[in-house]
Amino acid sequence: AQTVTQSQPEMSVQEAETVTLSCTYDTSESDYYLFWYKQPPSRQMILVIRQEAYKQQNATENRFSVNFQKAAKSFSLKISDSQLGDAAMYFCAYRSAAGRRALTFGSGTRLQVQP
Amino acid sequence: GAGVSQSPRYKVTKRGQDVALRCDPISGHVSLYWYRQALGQGPEFLTYFNYEAQQDKSGLPNDRFSAERPEGSISTLTIQRTEQRDSAMYRCASTRDSNTEAFFGQGTRLTVV
């Protein structure tokens, strides 16, 4: 079974600064997807960024980018120019490319943004 | 619909009562997933459907939990004889097909008293 580990329960960043959230995962599969979801106080789940394991290029979405290290099974999220609206819980998630397609989530990192 | 809709948003029930949680996925989405999220934790998989077929129910914690999607659209998660430990946020997500991103509903917060 796949597992996802987020070792930082809480992180804090100053507005306009850069922060990196860590995620590691364990799998025996070679083809899969990785995601970062944001959960603001409204408790909605919002997809931030997605990475296909077969792609070597790291995904980027505006101020959000990932550092995907397949051999190390690491998938960190970098938020540049942090904004107050970035304050939320962030969940890393894994999904197989075959078989069961459900998401396996980490336990989350709470990000605080200081003005 | 425009997004995944779940109802009710909040449900308080007495221990021992049955509850039914509803999920209305995005129109045309093939796959529908149910997750449960405890406070301070990530969502955990319960079950999922492709069309009306329940493909995997390995995440259902016990036989008090069941789910159906009879016409391949709206789904109902039923919890019989609720217990306090069932209190959590129950989330539904749908995907257009098995390889596309999941869209989540707002969730149903269930409190068993």
Side-chain angles (χ1 to χ4, degrees):
Chain A
Q2 294 79 29
T3 59
V4 177
T5 302
Q6 294 180 251
S7 59
Q8 305 157 315
E10 290 194 15
M11 293 284 285
S12 183
V13 63
Q14 293 286 331
E15 201 174 359
E17 297 295 306
T18 296
V19 65
T20 298
L21 308 184
S22 300
C23 173
T24 58
Y25 58 95
D26 189 23
T27 185
S28 59
E29 299 175 332
S30 60
D31 198 12
Y32 49 87
Y33 301 89
L34 296 164
F35 305 85
W36 279 97
Y37 279 88
K38 173 184 178 181
Q39 188 172 72
S42 66
R43 303 213 72 194
Q44 177 60 296
M45 290 289 284
I46 303 165
L47 179 64
V48 175
I49 200 164
R50 158 187 168 138
Q51 175 80 43
E52 290 87 349
Y54 63 86
K55 289 186 176 179
Q56 292 188 339
Q57 186 172 6
N58 289 323
T60 298
E61 288 288 341
N62 300 313
R63 299 183 294 107
F64 299 86
S65 61
V66 298
N67 183 4
F68 173 46
Q69 301 290 328
K70 191 172 184 180
K73 296 179 182 175
S74 170
F75 183 61
S76 60
L77 175 70
K78 185 171 83 171
I79 306 174
S80 304
D81 186 25
S82 297
Q83 301 175 359
L84 294 177
D86 295 334
M89 280 289 283
Y90 286 82
F91 292 99
C92 178
Y94 171 104
R95 194 187 81 198
S96 299
R100 193 180 88 175
R101 308 296 175 90
L103 293 161
T104 300
F105 287 89
S107 56
T109 297
R110 181 172 301 282
L111 177 66
Q112 297 181 329
V113 181
Q114 308 296 333
Chain B
V4 179
S5 178
Q6 291 188 246
S7 60
R9 289 286 306 278
Y10 303 91
K11 176 70 176 177
V12 179
T13 190
K14 291 186 177 180
R15 190 172 50 189
Q17 296 293 307
D18 298 351
V19 295
L21 312 181
R22 173 187 164 121
C23 173
D24 192 352
I26 294 173
S27 179
H29 275 201
V30 169
S31 302
L32 184 149
Y33 300 79
W34 283 100
Y35 295 86
R36 180 168 70 173
Q37 185 176 15
L39 198 61
Q41 297 294 317
E44 291 183 335
F45 169 77
L46 294 176
T47 184
Y48 92 97
F49 295 82
N50 280 342
Y51 300 102
E52 72 280 2
Q54 191 171 22
Q55 298 291 325
D56 185 343
K57 55 181 181 179
S58 62
L60 296 177
N62 53 61
D63 60 9
R64 295 186 296 105
F65 288 72
S66 62
E68 62 175 8
R69 193 186 184 198
E71 297 179 1
S73 179
I74 292 169
S75 177
T76 302
L77 176 70
T78 300
I79 309 172
Q80 296 179 312
R81 305 180 303 281
T82 52
E83 301 177 5
Q84 283 189 318
R85 59 178 172 158
D86 299 334
S87 297
M89 176 76 82
Y90 289 83
R91 293 192 178 276
C92 173
S94 70
T95 64
R96 181 165 47 83
D97 56 45
S98 57
N99 284 320
T100 54
E101 72 171 277
F103 291 85
F104 282 83
Q106 292 273 50
T108 294
R109 177 169 295 286
L110 175 67
T111 303
V112 182
V113 297

